[in-house]
Amino acid sequence: MKKPLSILAGALCVSLTSPSHAQDQAPAASPGKKVSASLEEVLVTARRRRESLQETPIAVTALSGAELQERGIVNIGELTKSVPSVEITESVSNLIYIRGIGQRAAFARVDPTVGVYLDNIFLPRADGHLMDTVDVENIQVLRGPQGTLFGKNTTGGAIVLTLEKPKAETEGYLFGSVGNYERVQVRGAYNTALSDNVFARISFNHLQDDGFFEDDSQGETNTSKGRTALFGQLRWEISSTALLDTLLYASRIDERLPGSYCTFMNEDAVLVRGLYLMWPGDTDPSNPTAYKENCDSNSRERLGDLKSNMGPNNMMDRELDTYLAATTLDWELSETLSMKVVASARDETKGPLISSDQDGGPANFNESFTRFDGGRESYSFEVQFNGTLFDGAVTYTSGFFAQEETNAETFTLINSLNGLDITTAPLVLGGQRPVQPPPGGTNPPLVGILVDPTLDSEFSLRNFTKAYFFQGSWDMTEQLELTLGIRYTAERRQSDLEVRGTDRNAVGQRLLSTGRFAPDTITGSGFYVFNGVWAQDPVGIAMSFFPDVDGDGINDFPYAAQPFRVDEKDNTFKKTTPMASLSYQFPEEALPENWDTFMVYGTWSSGFKSGFFEPKGVDGLQQVEPEEVENRELGLKLEAFRRSLRFNMAVYDMDFDNQQLIQVDADSNNNLVVIYQNAGASEIQGIEMELQWMPSPGLMINVSASHNDYTFTDFTDNDLLEAALGRQVSIDRSDETFPVSPETTAAFGIQYAFNPDFGIVTPRLDFSYKSDIYYGLDDGAHTIYEQDKSKAGQTAYSVTDFRLMWQNNEGNRTAALWVKNVFDERYDIGVAAVGDSVATFFQTYGDPRRFGIEFRQHF
């Protein structure tokens, strides 16, 4: 890839011909008079003050509520189609990545790396981030680390949602939509004045969708939606200088996770031929096939399109109840100083849920769950001072932020009993690589516990955050602005962990009591001798003595009376994150003809995401170090042709240290665990552009694109097979591809509003493209990805959407026909590929073709 500075120089040369967003409606032309089209000014709060997008030296995308309606965006996950460098997917967990920086799991102990804010309120957990766009005034996507003003967990950037606010007028709207897969959505809002200075607004949303991914074994359709949300807002204009906003929010999510299907990757993986383990259904130790067959029975090739076979009682029901209360005081203390105080309280309950189906098929060979309700609470308080100095030459924001959060979660790893041949057992249990057993195996078979069939990690978390921040902008001249900022963050993490595993003696006693098993006096392995031959499926017989009596989808193995490990960790992670920016707004007389405004800027910024403690099986809590990002960015912002064209671009070079990546490892009891670990260091170089052009009244063209070059500069890991055998052998993974993030994205949208006698008709076409995406977790997956991208990732794909909207002449009623994914493209949005251990790529589809109609009435 070209270096960023050379890219910027080239873009400056071609920007004369480039354009960007339009007014909601084009002005009507008077007879005989040509009307010029122009884009309305976009105001953003990316620097915690209201200012023009084109004067803000930050790479930010802003979409108004009207634009969201025009584009048919009903959920912030759909921003991934058109916002540069943004990857948002909804699978087992909500994944939000910006410029390759994101988090891949919704565990309570793992913070997101893209901060999501609702009316200045920080939402600390990823589960609720993919909010439906209900009664939204605008959405802003801030790319790059936002560690000074937004601070906590914004190494990738921030997404800021602003709701419509109560006002004096009595008004409202109702919206209804129906579509295929039994999709029904109803939402609306009502605004009224309670007195001369007190206004109220209530809004709601209900979405029901039966889903498109049919699961044969569960008799359910996965990827269903069931979401209900209610907002209540009260605005009190205390005086001409003081304003108090109160928000109450309640939501309920009750739906099915996206289903998944399985692609088998590697015959030599640890759980297949790496250790020559036998699973339920295996009858020949020289050729174990049950694990592969389990994956294949949930494969697209066997089941067909949009079908899965994940097994009964697979805990696919996602239930999340959220309650939020917040208040914001805006107080103008003087002509040059104002204060904002934001306080919030949040209570959330997350139901039992599958975390990962590592084996990829219907059998419970290797899976993980959060088995019980998880409780979450958070309280935050922020005070901001915004003011000016030196007759307005300096504008500044300073303040203090504090948050306390508590989380509780029980994470359960389940495995099967395993069989070993007499020839391999001494080697495997002695920490050596086995050789292939003879055909048919050597009788009698050995069956027992290699890893705990059930292992619970029950932990509670308490996070305490405090931060002090300052950012000021100095207008050195009318055109030149210098911005300096700094934030100090101290994050205290307290984690308590209790690990409870299987009572191995009780398992042995039950096997012996059946008369089908005897102690292993042949090899002294600690396994049990099956009184029969391999052809009888001894592991399957052993598993039948531990049936799922309570119907929760997990075989009922006895738990040990005492925990394997009780652990407690406490540490405070501290970081100072400065920034500096220099921008120059060219004077009008210095601009070429047809240029209206032109700004260039250079920014150096940094971000910090706290470290935390990760449970590693029976080894207890392991510290994961904080992520740190340093960004160097150059950008330009142009308006031209009487503001009918807007072109913004940024190039950047980022250093990303201690990247927190989810990986596969083994604890000292040989349990394979999926955990977070640091990946060392990496570099990200990229370029982004956004163009909006209104060449004539009614015609709007949107273009956006990004390209990112991701490079690991330091990434070492443990060889998984050696770890499973009890040895630590390092391997170099620095040549790997960044996960989840495509290198190249592009989007094109075009709409044209024409005005027949019966109203305004606006057809719109949107096209989005993403290059190859890697979904692997380990070294083996990447090796396979390089050979065949479809076995550990998603090859490049594109999606086309169409929308036909009608608005009446009075402007208070709209109707639309919409089709998303017009050509019914199949593409995967995860979940994960693991080559060295479980040998599976369990995948889930993005939405197939969807279509429907909608109606909106304003009153």
Side-chain angles (χ1 to χ4, degrees):
M1 192 187 96
K2 295 180 179 179
K3 292 296 181 182
L5 285 174
S6 62
I7 294 174
L8 178 57
L12 283 167
C13 294
V14 302
S15 61
L16 276 166
T17 61
S18 304
S20 205
H21 174 79
Q23 294 173 325
D24 295 335
Q25 296 182 30
S30 302
K33 181 179 179 181
K34 183 177 180 180
V35 178
S36 62
S38 64
L39 303 171
E40 63 183 5
E41 184 181 24
V42 177
L43 299 177
V44 297
T45 55
R47 295 197 290 180
R48 295 296 181 100
R49 61 179 187 261
R50 206 166 175 83
E51 58 188 341
S52 171
L53 171 69
Q54 295 306 102
E55 297 176 359
T56 306
I58 295 174
V60 55
T61 298
L63 295 171
S64 68
E67 288 179 89
L68 297 173
Q69 182 184 355
E70 284 178 355
R71 300 186 187 196
I73 296 175
V74 297
N75 185 284
I76 69 170
E78 294 187 278
L79 298 176
T80 191
K81 294 181 180 180
S82 58
V83 180
S85 297
V86 171
E87 182 70 13
I88 305 177
T89 60
E90 184 178 10
S91 53
V92 174
S93 61
N94 300 334
L95 313 179
I96 305 179
Y97 280 71
I98 298 181
R99 294 179 176 176
I101 302 174
Q103 62 84 30
R104 203 168 176 180
F107 302 139
R109 59 193 181 269
V110 184
D111 286 347
T113 56
V114 176
V116 177
Y117 293 79
L118 175 66
D119 276 357
N120 296 303
I121 305 154
F122 173 66
L123 305 178
R125 295 295 112 211
D127 305 79
H129 279 180
L130 290 182
M131 301 172 60
D132 296 317
T133 54
V134 183
D135 210 27
V136 169
E137 177 187 307
N138 65 66
I139 296 178
Q140 300 170 49
V141 181
L142 286 61
R143 298 184 294 276
Q146 303 295 322
T148 301
L149 288 180
F150 290 90
K152 184 176 169 68
N153 302 335
T154 57
T155 47
I159 298 177
V160 180
L161 291 87
T162 302
L163 297 174
E164 291 281 0
K165 296 297 182 293
K167 45 186 173 286
E169 296 81 5
T170 297
E171 61 157 22
Y173 68 88
L174 284 174
F175 169 92
S177 177
V178 295
N180 60 335
Y181 300 109
E182 304 300 321
R183 180 184 178 91
V184 176
Q185 185 173 23
V186 180
R187 64 187 183 194
Y190 177 72
N191 188 99
T192 190
L194 302 181
S195 69
D196 290 342
N197 62 343
V198 179
F199 318 121
R201 188 176 184 91
I202 187 169
S203 56
F204 70 93
N205 176 68
H206 178 72
L207 171 64
Q208 200 71 40
D209 186 324
D210 284 354
F212 60 83
F213 213 137
E214 297 181 14
D215 191 274
D216 292 342
S217 58
Q218 298 177 59
E220 298 271 4
T221 302
N222 294 321
T223 325
S224 67
K225 296 289 185 290
R227 300 178 182 179
T228 302
L230 181 67
F231 293 86
Q233 296 185 79
L234 197 67
R235 167 163 285 192
W236 177 22
E237 293 182 350
I238 303 171
S239 68
S240 61
T241 59
L243 179 69
L244 184 69
D245 282 319
T246 301
L247 168 67
L248 297 176
Y249 167 70
S251 73
R252 166 75 172 166
I253 295 177
D254 186 1
E255 56 194 28
R256 299 278 295 176
L257 286 177
S260 62
Y261 65 96
C262 186
T263 299
F264 192 77
M265 298 170 61
N266 181 16
E267 295 273 5
D268 296 322
V270 170
L271 299 187
V272 191
R273 294 182 180 229
L275 297 179
Y276 282 97
L277 296 181
M278 299 287 281
W279 299 88
D282 273 327
T283 57
D284 181 359
S286 69
N287 184 29
T289 60
Y291 200 93
K292 179 180 184 300
E293 177 60 28
N294 181 53
C295 173
D296 289 342
S297 66
N298 186 28
S299 66
R300 182 179 180 184
E301 288 73 14
R302 182 170 298 187
L303 297 173
D305 191 32
L306 300 180
K307 292 184 180 295
S308 64
N309 177 24
M310 300 183 66
N313 303 317
N314 212 266
M315 299 176 75
M316 295 285 289
D317 293 307
R318 172 163 48 196
E319 298 180 357
L320 183 69
D321 295 320
T322 302
Y323 302 93
L324 174 69
T327 186
T328 302
L329 172 66
D330 282 295
W331 188 7
E332 188 177 331
L333 301 174
S334 70
E335 291 185 359
T336 60
L337 179 64
S338 64
M339 179 177 71
K340 177 179 287 188
V341 179
V342 183
S344 73
R346 163 186 150 272
D347 181 86
E348 199 166 71
T349 302
K350 180 181 178 181
L353 190 68
I354 187 170
S355 298
S356 180
D357 185 5
Q358 288 98 263
D359 57 60
N364 291 343
F365 288 169
N366 187 256
E367 298 177 4
S368 52
F369 304 86
T370 51
R371 292 183 65 181
F372 309 108
D373 284 350
R376 304 171 179 182
E377 294 181 356
S378 64
Y379 306 90
S380 66
F381 177 82
E382 182 169 2
V383 58
Q384 300 174 22
F385 292 96
N386 295 280
T388 60
L389 298 171
F390 309 113
D391 295 326
V394 173
T395 305
Y396 67 88
T397 298
S398 66
F400 168 76
F401 172 82
Q403 183 176 65
E404 178 181 354
E405 183 186 12
T406 59
N407 299 301
E409 191 170 72
T410 300
F411 182 76
T412 300
L413 177 66
I414 66 169
N415 292 283
S416 168
L417 297 174
N418 291 114
L420 287 171
D421 193 73
I422 289 177
T423 62
T424 61
L427 297 173
V428 172
L429 299 175
Q432 300 179 52
R433 293 175 181 252
V435 295
Q436 183 178 14
T442 305
N443 292 310
L446 301 178
V447 178
I449 297 175
L450 184 66
V451 298
D452 283 279
T454 308
L455 187 73
D456 284 355
S457 296
E458 181 178 346
F459 58 92
S460 59
L461 303 158
R462 293 176 300 281
N463 304 333
F464 307 90
T465 305
K466 64 179 181 181
Y468 304 90
F469 57 89
F470 174 87
Q471 183 169 300
S473 299
W474 173 29
D475 292 333
M476 303 172 67
T477 69
E478 289 188 11
Q479 283 76 43
L480 186 64
E481 179 189 75
L482 173 66
T483 301
L484 299 174
I486 191 167
R487 188 184 190 100
Y488 169 78
T489 303
E491 181 119 358
R492 184 181 180 186
R493 294 292 179 118
Q494 294 178 314
S495 298
D496 296 318
L497 173 68
E498 181 176 290
V499 182
R500 190 175 297 273
T502 306
D503 187 336
R504 298 190 176 207
N505 289 330
V507 170
Q509 289 302 315
R510 186 177 300 184
L511 290 176
L512 293 174
S513 68
T514 66
R516 303 297 302 272
F517 293 87
D520 176 19
T521 58
I522 302 173
T523 66
S525 64
F527 271 45
Y528 298 89
V529 174
F530 175 64
N531 296 324
V533 297
W534 280 116
Q536 295 174 280
D537 182 17
V539 182
I541 291 173
M543 287 292 291
S544 71
F545 299 126
F546 303 91
D548 175 20
V549 177
D550 57 10
D552 65 355
I554 303 174
N555 292 74
D556 295 334
F557 285 92
Y559 277 93
Q562 299 297 322
F564 288 173
R565 182 72 180 263
V566 176
D567 206 354
E568 180 179 345
K569 297 288 186 181
D570 187 337
N571 197 3
T572 299
F573 302 94
K574 304 176 182 178
K575 186 66 177 178
T576 298
T577 49
M579 66 81 60
S581 177
L582 189 65
S583 64
Y584 185 77
Q585 191 83 36
F586 282 79
E588 184 176 351
E589 60 272 15
L591 296 177
E593 186 180 359
N594 294 324
W595 286 31
D596 302 303
T597 66
F598 183 58
M599 183 186 77
V600 295
Y601 68 88
T603 295
W604 171 77
S605 60
S606 56
F608 160 78
K609 174 186 166 184
S610 174
F612 59 97
F613 301 104
E614 178 80 342
K616 187 180 179 181
V618 299
D619 297 334
L621 294 167
Q622 312 291 309
Q623 181 167 308
V624 179
E625 298 301 324
E627 284 186 351
E628 298 179 13
V629 178
E630 181 181 348
N631 178 45
R632 297 163 293 276
E633 183 171 317
L634 296 174
L636 63 85
K637 297 191 174 187
L638 167 70
E639 286 184 321
F641 305 113
R642 297 183 180 180
R643 287 185 165 83
S644 67
L645 177 151
R646 186 173 294 141
F647 176 71
N648 296 341
M649 189 182 73
V651 293
Y652 42 88
D653 188 344
M654 297 194 290
D655 293 328
F656 189 8
D657 293 331
N658 288 325
Q659 184 175 359
Q660 296 169 0
L661 280 181
I662 194 165
Q663 300 172 50
V664 183
D665 207 341
D667 67 12
S668 55
N669 255 17
N670 300 322
N671 295 302
L672 291 176
V673 289
V674 179
I675 64 171
Y676 269 86
Q677 299 182 106
N678 294 110
S682 56
E683 294 179 353
I684 303 171
Q685 294 181 330
I687 179 170
E688 299 159 347
M689 61 80 70
E690 290 183 285
L691 178 151
Q692 295 168 299
W693 187 21
M694 199 176 191
S696 64
L699 179 61
M700 167 68 76
I701 297 172
N702 303 90
V703 180
S704 65
S706 64
H707 181 79
N708 290 283
D709 186 10
Y710 309 111
T711 305
F712 286 110
T713 56
D714 179 16
F715 186 9
T716 58
D717 196 6
N718 294 322
D719 183 285
L720 196 58
L721 179 56
E722 294 293 336
L725 295 170
R727 294 188 294 270
Q728 299 296 310
V729 177
S730 295
I731 57 174
D732 183 6
R733 296 180 58 185
S734 59
D735 62 339
E736 289 193 12
T737 304
F738 262 39
V740 180
S741 301
E743 287 193 349
T744 302
T745 68
F748 173 80
I750 184 170
Q751 68 181 51
Y752 181 72
F754 58 95
N755 194 353
D757 293 339
F758 53 85
I760 300 174
V761 178
T762 309
R764 180 179 177 91
L765 187 71
D766 283 286
F767 171 86
S768 65
Y769 166 84
K770 293 183 184 294
S771 63
D772 301 335
I773 305 174
Y774 172 55
Y775 286 120
L777 297 183
D778 60 7
D779 183 61
H782 191 261
T783 299
I784 292 168
Y785 177 76
E786 289 183 313
Q787 299 166 355
D788 184 350
K789 288 181 169 54
S790 66
K791 287 190 174 181
Q794 169 62 48
T795 56
Y797 70 95
S798 60
V799 173
T800 302
D801 298 341
F802 175 76
R803 181 177 179 85
L804 180 64
M805 188 168 74
W806 165 82
Q807 178 178 289
N808 67 352
N809 289 318
E810 292 74 23
N812 63 351
R813 183 178 303 150
T814 62
L817 167 70
W818 50 268
V819 184
K820 297 184 178 182
N821 193 359
V822 172
F823 299 107
D824 205 22
E825 179 82 5
R826 294 289 178 270
Y827 58 95
D828 291 324
I829 56 172
V831 180
V834 186
D836 289 328
S837 56
V838 299
T840 56
F841 179 21
F842 46 106
Q843 305 149 269
T844 189
Y845 287 118
D847 278 3
R849 182 190 296 119
R850 286 184 172 270
F851 55 84
I853 58 174
E854 65 183 41
F855 178 83
R856 185 183 185 104
Q857 176 69 52
H858 288 263
F859 55 85

